[in-house]
Amino acid sequence: MPNDSHQRAAEFHELAAHAHRAAAAHHGKEDHQTGQEHSKQAMEYANKAFQWSQEAHGKSVKSAGKS
């Protein structure tokens, strides 16, 4: 079960990284409006990744304590 949380966290980290790269590309092309949209999306993904990471960590700690 803890692996599911780790997998979800990893997926959101990847989505955040992709959105950050897209934002950087748009900012580099002077397309700041689209860049800001991608930056906002990246922050949302990063926040979800953090939440899933916290959950995964909590489950790992509980799982390790049961051994």
Side-chain angles (χ1 to χ4, degrees):
M1 190 68 68
N3 287 338
D4 293 338
S5 297
H6 287 284
Q7 181 62 36
R8 275 308 269 164
E11 289 169 6
F12 279 111
H13 281 295
E14 287 295 324
L15 288 169
H18 175 72
H20 280 293
R21 287 189 297 271
H26 285 285
H27 280 297
K29 294 177 182 175
E30 302 295 321
D31 186 359
H32 294 292
Q33 184 62 35
T34 303
Q36 286 183 345
E37 291 168 6
H38 284 291
S39 293
K40 181 181 176 194
Q41 185 178 45
M43 285 302 299
E44 290 171 5
Y45 287 142
N47 287 333
K48 286 185 180 186
F50 177 75
Q51 291 169 352
W52 279 96
S53 294
Q54 292 292 92
E55 181 178 327
H57 176 72
K59 287 181 179 180
S60 292
V61 169
K62 285 181 185 178
S63 175
K66 290 180 181 178
S67 298

